[in-house]
Amino acid sequence: MPKRRRDPSHSPGDGSLPRSSGAVSALAALGVLSGFAIDVTLAAVFGAGFETDAYFIAATIPFAVMSLLLGSANRSLVPLMSMWIGEDGREVARTRTGRVLGTAVGLAAVVAALGIALAPLLPRIIAPASSPETKALAATITAILFVAPVFRAGSEVLRALLNADFRFYSAALMPLVGNLMALGVFIWLSGRFGIAALAVGYVVGGLGQLAFLMAVSARPGLAVKPRGVAGR
């Protein structure tokens, strides 16, 4: 059976590649700057103290898990999804991506549940000499931060799909969307919940990234719904 070929209308022309690369680089730089803005705001609001110590202790394992499990997801999935779109068609790609999305979110949920269960122990292992107050706050923040990988896993799958479909701008916006939402929630709630508001902000930012990418991917007919491995 002959293989389908990608519709050339979905590929950028040769002349558009330099402009596309420059715009994507600019969006990536804005994402980095928005992350720096979070760090600056954190330092300005809380400075040095047990709350800041607790946050950095708490962030160690959840951020390491996200980097370890999701850091190479985009590079691994883009060639595969590009082949699905080009050879098997957009409907098949949509269905298969839905299975990948469901599996990724499910596995991330298991990791998150394990991390939340271990949250009271992790600060004692990472910073055994810290004060009981610092450890207690770090445990709370750790549990909140472990929710973020669930949304991040789904976002990485959809970002790979957008890159495979040559929609680089939307994919490059993902970090900026998440960081701006995290920063906004942090500023809004820090007076009420203290430094834990930043952890809540990262969770809300992750959810916002996922919602944004689902909305963007749906527009040209690649709407993806999470499916089980055997789902139709």
Side-chain angles (χ1 to χ4, degrees):
M1 182 177 178
K3 296 287 187 181
R4 300 182 184 181
R5 296 185 180 274
R6 181 187 296 276
D7 185 344
S9 65
H10 292 294
S11 302
D14 291 340
S16 68
L17 284 174
R19 293 192 300 273
S20 175
S21 177
V24 168
S25 297
L27 291 174
L30 288 175
V32 173
L33 287 175
S34 62
F36 179 70
I38 292 176
D39 293 338
V40 170
T41 304
L42 174 64
V45 174
F46 290 97
F50 86 93
E51 287 183 298
T52 305
D53 292 342
Y55 174 79
F56 285 113
I57 292 169
T60 301
I61 300 301
F63 284 1
V65 167
M66 284 193 283
S67 297
L68 179 64
L69 298 182
L70 304 174
S72 61
N74 195 66
R75 292 191 298 272
S76 302
L77 290 174
V78 169
L80 182 62
M81 292 178 176
S82 182
M83 182 182 68
W84 290 345
I85 295 172
E87 297 183 357
D88 301 307
R90 298 171 76 78
E91 180 61 28
V92 172
R94 184 180 68 84
T95 301
R96 291 175 178 171
T97 302
R99 291 173 183 160
V100 175
L101 178 62
T103 302
V105 171
L107 290 175
V110 172
V111 173
L114 180 61
I116 292 170
L118 294 175
L121 298 177
L122 293 177
R124 301 177 187 177
I125 297 172
I126 298 170
S130 59
S131 68
E133 187 178 29
T134 300
K135 290 175 185 174
L137 180 58
T140 299
I141 297 173
T142 299
I144 297 171
L145 286 174
F146 261 112
V147 179
V150 178
F151 302 126
R152 179 71 183 276
S155 297
E156 288 293 342
V157 172
L158 292 176
R159 180 164 71 158
L161 177 65
L162 291 172
N163 281 327
D165 200 39
F166 295 109
R167 283 182 281 162
F168 305 120
Y169 299 150
S170 299
L173 276 170
M174 187 186 101
L176 182 61
V177 169
N179 286 339
L180 289 180
M181 293 187 71
L183 180 60
V185 170
F186 177 44
I187 293 172
W188 180 36
L189 296 179
S190 59
R192 183 175 180 181
F193 296 107
I195 205 165
L198 182 53
V200 175
Y202 276 120
V203 173
V204 173
L207 178 59
Q209 287 177 328
L210 182 58
F212 168 73
L213 294 177
M214 290 190 75
V216 170
S217 64
R219 289 170 57 192
L222 275 178
V224 175
K225 296 180 180 179
R227 301 166 183 262
V229 175
R232 294 184 178 183

